[in-house]
Amino acid sequence: ITPTPIPVWVNPPADQTISCAEAETYTIPELGFTNNESNNCLINGTVAGTRTGSYDECGGTWTIEWTATDECERTIRHEQVITILPAPPPQWGSPPGDITLTCEEAETFQPSVLAYSNGAPESCLIEGIAEPTVQKDYDACGGNITVFWEHEDDCGNQISHQQNITIEPASAPQWVEVPQDLTLSCTEANAFVPSNL
């Protein structure tokens, strides 16, 4: 009596690509095998796969391998490569819009740090804060302030935001202690010297 045929895999999965978020909840399926015989000649069952490889917010690769050895000490293997895509790039949280300030307000203006996040879970999360770069170009006659935020993460994602601030001219000057009209005698008028304002 010759040995029964060696079993084969039932619907072995092909290589595939999944998102970073899908990788967070991915479960390795058990894989079935059978030789499609009957009675004493039937060999069938299921085996769990083993996973190697890794991924992070920048993506990665897993290799899943299933190995089964039948009663006749014959071994079959199946390997699946899963490519994990990088997580979505981050976005700014509430980036400030363009504004107008008085000259006095501009003197005390301090831009804040700007937060960014891609809102992804755990291993796929990209978040942090970016410090602003400030360029001031104004004087008493007005001008502008430019605030710039930029960030490049470990995955090469680049984001930037620019806020343009218009500075109004300072208030027009006014006389201080304006002298009142007065009446002088002719003698007083000869010695009169107006004060500086």
Side-chain angles (χ1 to χ4, degrees), residues 97-111:
D98 296 344
I99 58 174
T100 298
L101 299 177
T102 65
C103 192
E104 291 78 9
E105 291 170 333
E107 291 293 293
T108 58
F109 173 75
Q110 292 292 335

Side-chain angles (χ1 to χ4, degrees), residues 155-174:
C155 306
N157 297 312
Q158 296 180 335
I159 56 174
S160 62
H161 177 67
Q162 180 172 308
Q163 181 187 31
N164 299 308
I165 303 172
T166 301
I167 311 303
E168 297 176 333
S171 302
Q174 297 182 354

Side-chain angles (χ1 to χ4, degrees), residues 90-99 109 111-116 130-135 145-152 158-165:
Q91 302 293 327
W92 297 114
S94 303
D98 296 344
I99 58 174
F109 173 75
S112 60
V113 297
L114 193 53
Y116 59 86
E131 296 285 345
T133 300
V134 182
Q135 181 178 355
I145 296 175
T146 302
V147 186
F148 190 69
W149 294 264
E150 62 180 344
H151 170 72
E152 180 175 357
Q158 296 180 335
I159 56 174
S160 62
H161 177 67
Q162 180 172 308
Q163 181 187 31
N164 299 308
I165 303 172

